[in-house]
Amino acid sequence: AQSVTQLGSHVSVSEGALVLLRCNYSSSVPPYLFWYVQYPNQGLQLLLKYTTGATLVKGINGFEAEFKKSETSFHLTKPSAHMSDAAEYFCALKISNFGNEKLTFGTGTRLTIIP
Amino acid sequence: EPEVTQTPSHQVTQMGQEVILRCVPISNHLYFYWYRQILGQKVEFLVSFYNNEISEKSEIFDDQFSVERPDGSNFTLKIRSTKLEDSAMYFCASSAPGLAGYNEQFFGPGTRLTVL
């Protein structure tokens, strides 16, 4: 069965510093990979997704992620953290291209930005 | 901008009671989902629903759980006899038909269920 592992349940970075949130996956077939963000009292919002093609994926709010098949990783980065980035981030995957295929999530990483 | 809504935001119930969690998916979406997150744990898939029937369910989704789309706009999750371990945040999601694998699931803000 497929799985997602997020290293670090809590990450703190200074405002303006690099953000790096780690995600590794396990899948017997090529996965579709996603990062979602959850702000307090809001739903999960899609940040970016990897389906096929270019392995470096750009998303909203300046975030990007790189699919590395050899490392089974899909780490999320942002060059310069902003206070508004403080939220919980979830990595997720799908293993099928069926329209209603479920998402498999990691445990989430809470990002804190230090002023 | 269209969004998925869920009510209530927080539900407190006694063990053994029935609860119904309500969701209003985005209006032109055809696929519907429920996920849950027990505090400190992963977001877990419960069930997907399409064309008025369950498409897939997880092993968590036992006979105590049921889903329904009663009126073409609401999508509900019923827990018949709640247990302490049902305490969690429950997320509803919906998606539209699109290029296979590319359809984004849009999530609601969640309902926090507390079973006492």
Side-chain angles (χ1 to χ4, degrees):
Chain A
Q2 68 274 17
S3 66
V4 175
T5 301
Q6 291 183 242
L7 297 176
S9 58
H10 292 86
V11 170
S12 296
V13 301
S14 297
E15 189 174 16
L18 171 72
V19 175
L20 171 61
L21 304 183
R22 299 178 187 274
C23 173
N24 288 87
Y25 69 88
S26 174
S27 176
S28 57
V29 299
Y32 299 86
L33 293 161
F34 305 81
W35 275 99
Y36 283 84
V37 61
Q38 185 181 29
Y39 299 104
N41 300 316
Q42 295 186 30
L44 299 168
Q45 179 185 4
L46 183 66
L47 266 183
L48 50 78
K49 63 188 176 192
Y50 168 77
T51 52
T52 57
T55 56
L56 182 62
V57 180
K58 295 187 186 300
I60 61 172
N61 302 337
F63 284 93
E64 60 183 36
E66 186 171 10
F67 171 63
K68 291 187 176 180
K69 184 179 177 181
S70 61
E71 299 178 7
T72 61
S73 69
F74 190 58
H75 301 330
L76 182 71
T77 59
K78 181 174 180 178
S80 177
H82 192 272
M83 295 300 295
S84 62
D85 295 327
E88 184 130 22
Y89 293 79
F90 295 91
C91 183
L93 71 76
K94 290 168 59 173
I95 62 168
S96 163
N97 59 2
F98 289 120
N100 60 345
E101 176 63 29
K102 66 179 183 285
L103 288 163
T104 297
F105 284 89
T107 50
T109 298
R110 184 167 298 278
L111 177 64
T112 299
I113 310 298
I114 303 164
Chain B
E1 185 176 329
E3 58 182 14
V4 176
T5 59
Q6 291 185 242
T7 54
S9 57
H10 192 186
Q11 172 91 46
V12 181
T13 190
Q14 295 291 323
M15 189 170 56
Q17 294 297 303
E18 174 183 287
V19 294
I20 298 176
L21 309 183
R22 302 181 192 281
C23 169
V24 179
I26 294 173
S27 62
N28 65 337
H29 286 187
L30 298 180
Y31 305 118
F32 313 108
Y33 316 80
W34 284 100
Y35 294 82
R36 80 173 186 189
Q37 185 183 29
I38 295 172
L39 189 64
Q41 299 186 25
K42 297 184 179 197
V43 176
E44 302 172 291
F45 169 77
L46 292 178
V47 65
S48 59
F49 191 85
Y50 170 68
N51 200 25
N52 282 319
E53 58 183 33
I54 291 173
S55 305
E56 184 179 359
K57 59 183 181 180
S58 72
E59 58 189 24
I60 302 168
F61 195 89
D62 62 21
D63 291 345
Q64 293 299 310
F65 291 87
S66 62
V67 289
E68 192 177 35
R69 188 157 161 79
D71 56 11
S73 61
N74 290 281
F75 179 51
T76 61
L77 174 69
K78 182 193 293 186
I79 309 175
R80 289 189 182 82
S81 178
T82 51
K83 307 183 188 74
L84 294 176
E85 54 265 37
D86 294 327
S87 294
M89 180 73 88
Y90 288 81
F91 294 105
C92 174
S94 68
S95 64
L99 291 175
Y102 291 64
N103 55 329
E104 176 184 348
Q105 291 184 24
F106 291 81
F107 284 79
T111 292
R112 180 164 297 285
L113 177 65
T114 302
V115 182
L116 302 176

